[in-house]
Amino acid sequence: GDMAGVAMSGRNLHIEATSEDEVVAFARCARKVPDVRMIFAEEDKLSTFWTHLRGESSMPKVSRHKMITSGGVVSNDVEIIDELRMATNDELDQIVAAHAEMVFAATGVDPLVADAVGFRTRCGERVDQGRVCVWLNGGELIFKTDIVSVTPEAIYIEGLWVNPKARGNGYSTRCLASMCRQLLTGSNTICGFVDVEHELYNSLYRKAGFIEVDEYAKIYL
């Protein structure tokens, strides 16, 4: 009666499993999914999954990530931004451009070339759901992050972006701390992932009151 594992299978494949048996079972299922482009799992389970998915084929380059969660102490020098809010369709063009920039940087694929209509539709759906947190200054997008899922216990975020013209001013930390103030109720948490190699990102999350939990790994096919 206990859940031993769960996987989201599709273009992006995410795995959570308690033992190797579940990892192997998910790999067998994933063989039937022809369009997988990204696999994400706890680091110690990813190699097992790959072996049972592709056999002797070499695994692509691994990028390592830390799972982070709210629960630490916000640095005393972090100023709250009261103007932080959920985006409207008036900001959709700027949000699409910002998110496309992030996707291209991470994957080398420009989604506005590969699937412009679908990409814009998915961004628009998230805005309509009230799931894109933004800060604008004079009508220009300065900060955005996506709220991917919400449960009574946890809010999962990703896609943090800061306007290149405004980077280096501590806006990420301030906006993250401000978002936590708005969304945390005392009985839930905010969680996400940060690239292990980007110490600057790790530092800004810590200042905003996030702590490290687990280590994960990602590969692109």
Side-chain angles (χ1 to χ4, degrees), residues 95-110:
I95 290 168
V96 168
H99 202 66
E101 175 192 307
M102 298 183 67
V103 172
F104 182 74
T107 68
V109 176
D110 185 347

Side-chain angles (χ1 to χ4, degrees), residues 164-216:
K165 296 185 292 186
R167 292 172 187 171
N169 293 302
Y171 291 147
S172 294
T173 297
R174 293 169 61 192
C175 287
L176 281 169
S178 302
M179 184 173 65
C180 288
R181 174 179 284 187
Q182 292 181 16
L183 299 179
L184 292 176
T185 63
S187 59
N188 64 349
T189 186
I190 297 175
C191 60
F193 292 92
V194 62
D195 192 326
V196 169
E197 296 182 1
H198 290 284
E199 179 54 35
L200 178 62
Y201 291 166
N202 285 273
S203 175
L204 73 88
Y205 278 103
R206 285 193 294 269
K207 289 180 180 178
F210 285 78
I211 56 177
E212 300 168 4
V213 182
D214 293 309
E215 293 192 358
Y216 283 71

Side-chain angles (χ1 to χ4, degrees), residues 92-113 119 123 140-142 144 159-167 201 220:
L92 182 57
D93 286 346
Q94 295 190 72
I95 290 168
V96 168
H99 202 66
E101 175 192 307
M102 298 183 67
V103 172
F104 182 74
T107 68
V109 176
D110 185 347
L112 297 180
V113 174
F119 184 77
C123 290
E140 184 174 15
L141 184 65
I142 304 298
K144 79 97 183 167
L160 186 153
W161 177 89
V162 174
N163 193 312
K165 296 185 292 186
R167 292 172 187 171
Y201 291 166
Y220 290 100

